[in-house]
Amino acid sequence: MSVDEALPEVQELTEKINYHNNLYHNLSRPEISDYEFDQLLNRLIDLEKKYPELKLPDSPTQRVGGDITKNFETVTHKYPMLSLSNTYSKEELRDFHERVIKGLGHSDFIYFCELKFDGVALSVTFKDGLIEKAVTRGDGTRGDNIITNAKTIRSLPLRLAPGDYPGEFEVRGEVFMPRKVFNRINEERIDIGEEPLANPRNSTSGTLKMQDSAVVASRNLDCYLYALLGDQVNYESHSESIQALERWNFNISQTYKSCHSIEEVFGYIDEWELKRLELPLETDGIVIKVNHIKYQQILGYTAKSSRWAIAFKYKSESASTRLNGITYQVGRTGAITPVAELQPVLLAGTTVKRASLHNANEIERLGLRIGDTVFVEKGGEIIPKITGIDEIKRSSKSEPVKYIKECPQCGTILVRVEGEAVHYCPNFDRCPPQVMGRIEHFIQRKAMNIETLGRETIKGLLDTGLIKDPGDLYKLDFETLNGLEFKVFSNKKGDISVRSLREKSAKNIIEAIESSKNVPFENVLFALGIRYVGQTVAEKLAGHFRNIDGLTSASYEELIDAPEIGEKIAVSIEEYFRKPENIDLIQRLKDAGTQMKLSSEHALEGDTLEGMSFVISGVFENYGRDELKSIIKKNGGKIVSSVSGSLDYLVAGNNMGPSKLEKANKFGVKIISELDLESMLNK
């Protein structure tokens, strides 16, 4: 197929994918299955790789991410992004209403009410129907242009279908992390020994400023639009502009309402106080705006906020209850998590019995004592947390909580790494919850995908001595499992019963174990359970080192040269491969036939660049940066992140960072173009 022959298909695929993307994310009425959508997207990715000159500005492949942005451009807002005045009481809201009446000289106006989403404000500019800029609030006058990351938000259009929109306009909205995404990320962070993220809003803010747009894409951020601005925007009311945004296929939350009196506004506030908790994202209040644009202009602005709008914020629901005790959970990495055991209390529609205390520092900060009356809130309306204590009700005989010194499961003395808040049990091989947790991690779908093994079966295999670590799973056979009996806890009282594995279950387990030998190398690497090595990091390591031997022998310097690998992760990997028992496990997994190198899909195309190191910088005419990196790796070369005296080549494109050029000249590093690189490969 020639370029001319490929062009119509690229255009058709782009149009189709954007159409189905809008149906799925904005209108919630998909017409094709996820599989069919992925097939269309994969075909477009293949064509764009083969013919990079055909990649359109609104290509939906940009949703996948992959570009690296070291520094975000600072942009001055055409229209300042002012903040809103806040109130927590209906009395103050009535005062606002009286000020509006006084400012307008009459009460014949309508309020537009909408939920206040707890995310990150973003201003997006469209020109001739094409997305051009996406700028954060910043200080209200200037913000950062994060367009590469914004393009990964699937509900945000990249190009608008033909419509009645002006040549240039700006939309404003709130980028947020859905609750289920936030919970999934925290589960993964806890699983690899990381501190959980504090709340969805902070997580969204941090994600939008990440340098790697592929990681941003994996976070599945979403966005609701709530404002339309522009010199050519001439709607008479805010509600008309919202209807226009809906008409142009922007994602608008269907929770807004026009209210003709302050009493109707109060009714809207009451309606959503609990109802908002059922939404898939965090909310913290209601925004009330005077609807008519002419009235907004009459009322005007203060130095910091609008006189025609205000935010009513819901108070975080709090309850007081007794702290009955503190239990300590042991994770698969050995991390100890203290948990407050509470007298059950009703909070935000659910009964709360426990609250995470995170670490020893948090217990000390709160000054907790067993028997204290504590105040509990739902942080971000998701995670119960203790916010303080009622010292008036404290018993004079109570004493401050002393953090445990030994593992509650195996009795090993706990350790605490300098600079970290968490205590760890170092008994990696014999502490029961760590062993159990490692095997559960190993078999999960994103790892080795041996999910026919349930928790009870794993415990039974451990108790009977048939396995001691994940490597032992590959010694199991049908004859051993068929009819195997083991003890299980049959109810909450701790009663014990005997369970027997049936023939079908035994067969399914053996088949799943055999099938796991085909999962990709990056999954195996994730399954090993190296502290701080989650799924994304495992993929980066696999792509960089290509096989387990390369990773096992990598020095600290070589590790931190890999993409996304910082000091903490590098030290953890080094420590893991220094332990003989881990090297033994890897050898047994090798002998069992698991994948310990990249598949043929990622295999080397040649060794022309063997032993050479490269830094990629700038914008290139014929290749994307990720494409250049892939070509170099497939021909034996190594990609590093920074210029040093040991670097062989700096591949320089347009708009290359001056600091890299300066360092390259300082260290005498050879600077080459993309054409020079092509010549090297052709030789």
Side-chain angles (χ1 to χ4, degrees):
M1 181 184 289
S2 67
V3 174
D4 291 339
E5 291 170 331
L7 178 59
E9 186 178 358
V10 168
Q11 292 173 329
E12 183 184 1
L13 284 167
T14 298
E15 186 177 335
K16 274 186 179 179
I17 294 168
N18 284 336
Y19 169 76
H20 288 296
N21 190 70
N22 177 59
L23 285 178
Y24 183 88
H25 289 282
N26 295 340
L27 303 179
S28 298
R29 48 181 177 87
E31 293 179 353
I32 61 175
S33 67
D34 289 349
Y35 173 78
E36 290 171 305
F37 182 88
D38 290 340
Q39 292 296 100
L40 293 173
L41 186 61
N42 290 335
R43 174 61 179 161
L44 182 58
I45 290 171
D46 290 340
L47 286 173
E48 288 181 350
K49 282 182 179 178
K50 194 171 182 180
Y51 309 104
E53 64 270 30
L54 296 183
K55 189 169 185 177
L56 301 173
D58 64 327
S59 172
T61 60
Q62 297 183 67
R63 306 286 196 190
V64 181
D67 289 339
I68 306 296
T69 307
K70 290 293 184 184
N71 295 296
F72 295 104
E73 175 194 12
T74 299
V75 175
T76 299
H77 292 296
K78 186 174 182 179
Y79 311 99
M81 294 187 76
L82 301 178
S83 57
L84 287 167
S85 298
N86 294 327
T87 178
Y88 289 87
S89 74
K90 291 181 179 179
E91 290 75 16
E92 290 181 357
L93 193 53
R94 195 177 288 279
D95 291 341
F96 164 79
H97 177 61
E98 294 300 326
R99 290 196 299 273
V100 171
I101 293 174
K102 184 178 180 181
L104 295 177
H106 62 83
S107 59
D108 186 19
F109 57 86
I110 296 171
Y111 285 120
F112 187 93
C113 296
E114 58 197 6
L115 288 173
K116 186 174 183 297
F117 304 114
D118 196 14
V120 175
L122 193 67
S123 172
V124 187
T125 301
F126 283 80
K127 193 168 184 179
D128 298 325
L130 187 67
I131 191 169
E132 186 182 58
K133 289 184 296 188
V135 186
T136 59
R137 182 196 296 274
D139 62 3
T141 302
R142 297 184 306 168
D144 292 329
N145 185 9
I146 57 165
I147 182 65
T148 303
N149 289 343
K151 285 180 177 180
T152 69
I153 302 172
R154 293 181 180 271
S155 62
L156 190 63
L158 301 181
R159 182 189 290 275
L160 302 178
D164 59 343
Y165 47 81
E168 184 173 346
F169 64 92
E170 183 179 321
V171 292
R172 288 183 177 171
E174 199 81 0
V175 181
F176 62 89
M177 181 176 287
R179 281 180 174 146
K180 64 180 181 180
V181 176
F182 176 75
N183 291 336
R184 171 178 60 78
I185 291 171
N186 266 352
E187 286 171 5
E188 291 174 356
R189 289 178 68 87
I190 292 168
D191 184 52
I192 64 173
E194 291 272 24
E195 278 281 307
L197 301 174
N199 56 65
R201 190 207 174 280
N202 290 356
S203 306
T204 301
S205 179
T207 299
L208 286 174
K209 299 303 278 292
M210 285 181 168
Q211 295 177 346
D212 189 343
S213 60
V215 179
V216 179
S218 72
R219 295 285 180 92
N220 294 320
L221 298 179
D222 207 338
C223 181
Y224 279 141
L225 283 303
Y226 57 73
L228 171 63
L229 300 163
D231 295 341
Q232 302 168 41
V233 174
N234 298 311
Y235 295 107
E236 293 185 355
S237 67
H238 179 68
S239 56
E240 287 178 349
S241 67
I242 292 297
Q243 289 164 11
L245 291 176
E246 290 176 323
R247 201 165 56 244
W248 303 335
N249 287 328
F250 284 99
N251 193 26
I252 308 296
S253 171
Q254 298 301 302
T255 54
Y256 61 80
K257 183 179 181 181
S258 293
C259 297
H260 294 74
S261 67
I262 193 65
E263 276 68 32
E264 281 191 33
V265 172
F266 292 158
Y268 180 84
I269 289 170
D270 293 340
E271 176 189 354
W272 283 101
E273 184 167 9
L274 291 179
K275 193 174 168 183
R276 67 196 174 95
L277 303 177
E278 301 169 9
L279 295 173
L281 74 157
E282 293 306 297
T283 60
D284 59 2
I286 302 294
V287 178
I288 301 102
K289 302 173 181 175
V290 172
N291 189 40
H292 205 290
I293 303 299
K294 183 175 72 174
Y295 294 163
Q296 292 180 6
Q297 293 168 344
I298 291 171
L299 292 166
Y301 303 85
T302 67
K304 294 183 178 180
S305 60
S306 311
R307 289 193 176 95
W308 47 267
I310 193 170
F312 176 89
K313 302 194 81 171
Y314 293 108
K315 294 177 181 177
S316 295
E317 188 175 344
S318 179
S320 63
T321 189
R322 186 180 189 276
L323 175 64
N324 291 329
I326 296 176
T327 55
Y328 297 85
Q329 298 177 343
V330 185
R332 69 165 180 85
T333 62
I336 308 296
T337 303
V339 177
E341 301 293 341
L342 306 170
Q343 192 71 27
V345 62
L346 189 65
L347 181 61
T350 59
T351 300
V352 174
K353 300 178 182 178
R354 313 176 88 202
S356 172
L357 291 168
H358 300 296
N359 50 55
N361 290 352
E362 182 68 1
I363 292 174
E364 185 177 350
R365 183 187 71 81
L366 291 166
L368 292 179
R369 301 183 182 187
I370 305 303
D372 273 348
T373 296
V374 296
F375 299 110
V376 185
E377 289 183 5
K378 277 196 173 181
E381 285 127 16
I382 296 178
I383 305 168
K385 64 177 181 179
I386 295 176
T387 58
I389 57 173
D390 188 342
E391 295 195 26
I392 296 174
K393 296 182 179 179
R394 170 175 282 171
S395 168
S396 58
K397 297 179 181 179
S398 64
E399 295 183 0
V401 170
K402 292 183 179 179
Y403 203 85
I404 58 172
K405 295 181 179 179
E406 298 178 349
C407 175
Q409 295 291 330
C410 68
T412 303
I413 300 297
L414 300 180
V415 296
R416 189 177 188 180
V417 179
E418 186 177 351
E420 293 189 10
V422 178
H423 286 74
Y424 290 89
C425 169
N427 189 13
F428 184 76
D429 299 315
R430 293 180 178 82
C431 182
Q434 290 191 61
V435 176
M436 182 77 174
R438 267 200 323 281
I439 295 173
E440 287 185 303
H441 172 82
F442 185 85
I443 67 170
Q444 67 170 284
R445 182 177 56 82
K446 295 177 182 177
M448 302 306 288
N449 195 22
I450 315 176
E451 293 194 315
T452 51
L453 270 173
R455 182 177 178 83
E456 288 182 351
T457 305
I458 294 172
K459 190 171 188 313
L461 292 171
L462 287 168
D463 290 344
T464 54
L466 288 173
I467 63 171
K468 293 181 180 177
D469 63 24
D472 288 340
L473 293 172
Y474 295 92
K475 297 190 303 183
L476 299 173
D477 55 39
F478 174 76
E479 287 72 22
T480 303
L481 294 183
N482 188 24
L484 178 70
E485 294 185 346
F486 48 87
K487 296 176 181 178
V488 297
F489 291 99
S490 57
N491 57 37
K492 292 182 179 180
K493 294 180 181 179
D495 294 340
I496 297 175
S497 62
V498 176
R499 181 184 169 191
S500 176
L501 268 184
R502 296 182 179 180
E503 180 179 344
K504 185 176 180 181
S505 296
K507 182 182 177 183
N508 289 341
I509 290 170
I510 295 302
E511 287 178 353
I513 291 173
E514 189 63 29
S515 178
S516 74
K517 296 176 183 179
N518 298 317
V519 305
F521 171 47
E522 54 267 33
N523 291 50
V524 180
L525 191 52
F526 172 57
L528 291 177
I530 303 171
R531 191 177 172 204
Y532 305 135
V533 177
Q535 191 178 14
T536 301
V537 172
E539 289 171 359
K540 298 284 185 184
L541 289 169
H544 188 78
F545 291 101
R546 313 195 69 77
N547 58 58
I548 194 66
D549 295 330
L551 179 60
T552 304
S553 60
S555 66
Y556 172 80
E557 289 74 19
E558 289 172 326
L559 286 168
I560 60 173
D561 270 342
E564 304 295 319
I565 307 303
E567 179 181 342
K568 183 170 68 172
I569 298 174
V571 169
S572 176
I573 294 169
E574 271 197 314
E575 289 178 351
Y576 182 88
F577 290 121
R578 271 203 294 262
K579 294 181 178 179
E581 58 269 29
N582 293 334
I583 299 299
D584 174 66
L585 170 63
I586 289 166
Q587 186 58 52
R588 284 185 286 133
L589 292 175
K590 273 186 183 179
D591 295 341
T594 61
Q595 303 298 309
M596 289 295 182
K597 62 181 181 181
L598 284 183
S599 63
S600 56
E601 175 186 348
H602 303 284
L604 289 177
E605 294 174 349
D607 58 1
T608 309
L609 307 180
E610 184 70 39
M612 302 178 190
S613 58
F614 297 80
V615 163
I616 308 293
S617 182
V619 179
F620 300 90
E621 293 183 8
N622 300 321
Y623 303 94
R625 277 181 291 183
D626 282 347
E627 190 178 4
L628 277 179
K629 290 177 182 179
S630 177
I631 290 170
I632 289 169
K633 290 176 184 177
K634 286 184 176 181
N635 286 275
K638 181 179 178 182
I639 300 294
V640 296
S641 57
S642 57
V643 177
S644 66
S646 60
L647 179 68
D648 293 307
Y649 296 99
L650 170 62
V651 187
N654 298 323
N655 302 321
M656 182 181 66
S659 61
K660 281 192 172 68
L661 182 61
E662 185 181 337
K663 284 184 179 179
N665 289 325
K666 175 183 175 183
F667 293 121
V669 173
K670 190 167 183 179
I671 302 171
I672 62 174
S673 67
E674 58 186 313
L675 294 177
D676 295 328
L677 180 62
E678 285 181 345
S679 298
M680 292 171 66
L681 291 169
N682 290 333
K683 288 179 183 179

